[in-house]
Amino acid sequence: MTASAVNGQYRRGKTFLFLIACSWAGAAPHWIEPSRSLFPAITLAFLLGGYGLRIILLRDRETSGINSNVGTLPLISQESLPNVDVLVAARDEEAVVQRLVEHIDSLDYPQSKISTWIIDDGSVDQTPVILEELRRKFHNLQVINRSTSAGGGKSGALNQALKEIKGEWILILDADAQLQKDSLHRLVSYAIKGGWSAVQLRKAVVNSAHNQLTRFQAMEMAMDMVIQQGRLASGGVVELRGNGQLILRSALDQCGGFNEGTVTDDLDLSFRLLISRALVGILWDPPVQEEGVETVHALWRQRKRWAEGGLQRFFDYWSFLVSSRLPVSQRIDLGCFFLLQYALPVVSCADLATTVLTKTMPVYWPLSIIAFTISGLAYWRGCNTIGEGPSLPSPKPIRLVMAIIYLLHWFLVIPWVTLRMAFLPKKFVWLKTNHYGQKALKI
């Protein structure tokens, strides 16, 4: 499937139908006899709770190296390593771009087999000046300049680089990424020996000690990794996360490159790789370090983009996702994940609104309790996992409770984004996350 095969047609109509369905599901039980009004929520709580508990319990299961860390696996010899192109789409990254280039240059990987490509996507700060100075210093660094009117956002920037690069593998990094010196060697070895077409590294928040918000993001990234590992180990689906993703060039070409009609290139590509039967793996160690956003406003902007991109891919590819082209285990996994991640927040808002209007009791509280309990368990497992990179926050009881409360922001973000997608036309604007150059912690 090419990127142009699904161009996001009828997204507003699909979002509107999704909104209506969730609103009806949230409101309808209030008009059922009170003794039976909780039946839909209790039924879903058992089904989705069972799904969530299963993936967390199966998270550590070893299936063909699915959840292996490469520290115990033999590495490919330096002479046998393939050529890798490192791609970074950058806009206004003066605070971090020099550190990034220096990190990549210091990787324990044959210099003749690695090239760095930074696409300056219309920066208006000192990024272009810094990149020109770095280009003279580092012979493996290539800089591509794009105007602000080039279009396509991050996907457009990456696609422009695809016309130039020749490597067998592509490593996608954000401008604030920080890697260990042996990360690329270990990552490539794992991908090749495991037969993966793409591998996603765990994302570790380097500034987790900055404030409570960054601390909760560090816990959230660990929780996400636990869930991802469990989904894969149970026959489900792994999703790319943008920063720290290694992709086989031939698999990317088969998918048609990066989709310029989406706001989250990584989530969209995850589904196109899935449909093309490309295998996607995931690694706890080594991690890719990145900055967590430090303010509520920045978190709101970031999560709106993530929520919109997440919904877009389900609406764009739904006919493939429910078809027999995917194994039953993956269709079940995608259905349960969609209900918990996207439908539950909208249904809960409709339930709350109907509760206020009809002066009745909420009916979906059993499902919400189960969802947050599963999240708490995933938090606990993730933060108790020994790993490389920045230390994870200790999952003390009070901190777990606060981290679960922090997850309530998704119950605001997803309904808001759903309403906006249903009623307003989309303008494709790259709403990048600002980076400030947090220092790496000792590994």
Side-chain angles (χ1 to χ4, degrees):
M1 173 185 296
T2 65
S4 60
V6 177
N7 58 12
Q9 288 185 340
Y10 311 116
R11 280 180 183 160
R12 288 178 65 187
K14 294 172 185 176
T15 308
F16 182 76
L17 291 176
F18 170 69
L19 178 62
I20 293 298
C22 290
S23 298
W24 178 86
H30 288 266
W31 282 276
I32 298 177
E33 181 181 332
S35 61
R36 293 188 292 178
S37 62
L38 291 177
F39 181 76
I42 293 175
T43 301
L44 286 172
F46 273 105
L47 293 176
L48 298 181
Y51 159 79
L53 186 62
R54 181 171 182 267
I55 63 174
I56 291 174
L57 293 178
L58 289 179
R59 174 248 182 159
D60 294 326
R61 188 180 72 176
E62 293 289 341
T63 305
S64 300
I66 280 176
N67 289 332
S68 296
N69 290 331
V70 295
T72 59
L73 296 177
L75 300 180
I76 294 174
S77 66
Q78 291 270 340
E79 296 76 18
S80 302
L81 287 170
N83 292 332
V84 176
D85 289 303
V86 182
L87 300 190
V88 182
R91 175 180 293 177
D92 298 336
E93 299 288 6
E94 63 182 6
V96 294
V97 70
Q98 179 170 339
R99 183 190 63 194
L100 172 69
V101 173
E102 292 171 348
H103 263 275
I104 297 173
D105 185 71
S106 68
L107 290 175
D108 181 21
Y109 205 88
Q111 288 295 303
S112 62
K113 296 184 177 183
I114 183 172
S115 296
T116 302
W117 296 77
I118 297 186
I119 309 96
D120 176 28
D121 200 35
S123 296
V124 296
D125 63 358
Q126 291 299 305
T127 299
V129 176
I130 296 172
L131 285 175
E132 180 58 28
E133 294 175 353
L134 292 170
R135 189 182 62 80
R136 298 194 195 101
K137 181 179 178 182
F138 297 97
H139 71 276
N140 281 349
L141 173 61
Q142 306 292 328
V143 178
I144 298 174
N145 295 296
R146 290 196 348 140
S147 68
T148 54
S149 60
K154 181 179 178 181
S155 293
L158 294 174
N159 279 335
Q160 187 160 338
L162 291 183
K163 301 174 184 177
E164 307 289 338
I165 64 176
K166 304 296 182 183
E168 184 180 348
W169 289 86
I170 300 170
L171 176 64
I172 308 294
L173 296 176
D174 287 348
D176 64 326
Q178 300 178 54
L179 297 171
Q180 300 167 202
K181 288 189 176 182
D182 62 348
S183 291
L184 184 57
H185 191 178
R186 296 164 66 188
L187 176 57
V188 170
S189 298
Y190 176 77
I192 292 175
K193 294 199 171 193
W196 306 108
S197 295
V199 179
Q200 174 65 54
L201 294 176
R202 172 173 61 94
K203 297 169 70 173
V205 177
V206 71
N207 59 333
S208 62
H210 180 77
N211 59 26
Q212 288 285 19
L213 193 60
T214 56
R215 186 171 292 112
F216 293 148
Q217 289 171 72
M219 297 176 70
E220 186 181 18
M221 293 300 103
M223 175 190 73
D224 177 68
M225 176 58 69
V226 168
I227 292 172
Q228 291 255 59
Q229 289 181 315
R231 292 176 69 187
L232 185 58
S234 61
V237 176
V238 159
E239 300 170 329
L240 299 174
R241 291 293 184 249
N243 191 17
Q245 58 187 31
L246 182 73
I247 308 168
L248 185 63
R249 173 62 189 268
S250 59
L252 181 59
D253 288 342
Q254 185 178 354
C255 293
F258 297 96
N259 188 354
E260 298 181 22
T262 181
V263 297
T264 49
D265 57 283
D266 49 347
L267 297 180
D268 181 90
L269 179 59
S270 299
F271 275 15
R272 288 188 288 122
L273 288 170
L274 172 67
I275 295 166
S276 66
R277 302 186 185 279
L279 298 178
V280 180
I282 193 162
L283 277 175
W284 182 273
D285 283 328
V288 56
Q289 298 180 146
E290 65 177 21
E291 296 177 19
V293 297
E294 299 177 354
T295 66
V296 172
H297 175 69
L299 183 76
W300 178 257
R301 291 176 73 250
Q302 181 190 69
R303 299 312 165 91
K304 283 195 301 181
R305 177 169 56 85
W306 290 3
E308 184 169 359
L311 284 169
Q312 282 178 352
R313 61 183 170 146
F314 275 101
F315 296 151
D316 289 351
Y317 303 107
W318 72 271
S319 61
F320 295 96
L321 303 179
V322 300
S323 72
S324 59
R325 293 182 60 175
L326 297 184
V328 173
S329 61
Q330 290 184 336
R331 280 180 274 164
I332 292 175
D333 173 75
L334 288 168
C336 292
F337 181 80
F338 179 77
L339 290 174
L340 284 170
Q341 179 72 24
Y342 300 103
L344 177 59
V346 183
V347 169
S348 297
C349 280
D351 178 26
L352 180 60
T354 308
T355 294
V356 173
L357 292 174
T358 61
K359 298 181 180 180
T360 54
M361 292 295 293
V363 295
Y364 277 95
W365 58 265
L367 179 56
S368 297
I369 289 176
I370 290 295
F372 285 116
T373 300
I374 294 296
S375 298
L377 181 58
Y379 269 140
W380 182 82
R381 295 215 66 189
C383 291
N384 275 314
T385 300
I386 297 174
E388 302 168 11
S391 299
L392 288 166
S394 174
K396 300 176 182 178
I398 185 63
R399 184 171 290 163
L400 278 177
V401 172
M402 294 176 64
I404 290 172
I405 293 173
Y406 155 83
L407 289 180
L408 283 171
H409 75 268
W410 286 113
F411 281 68
L412 299 175
V413 171
I414 291 176
W416 173 258
V417 168
T418 301
L419 283 169
R420 192 184 68 184
M421 289 176 63
F423 293 104
L424 296 178
K426 175 59 185 172
K427 294 182 179 179
F428 286 98
V429 179
W430 185 0
L431 296 176
K432 65 176 293 294
T433 300
N434 293 325
H435 301 132
Y436 302 101
Q438 299 289 340
K439 293 182 179 179
L441 301 182
K442 290 185 179 180
I443 297 172

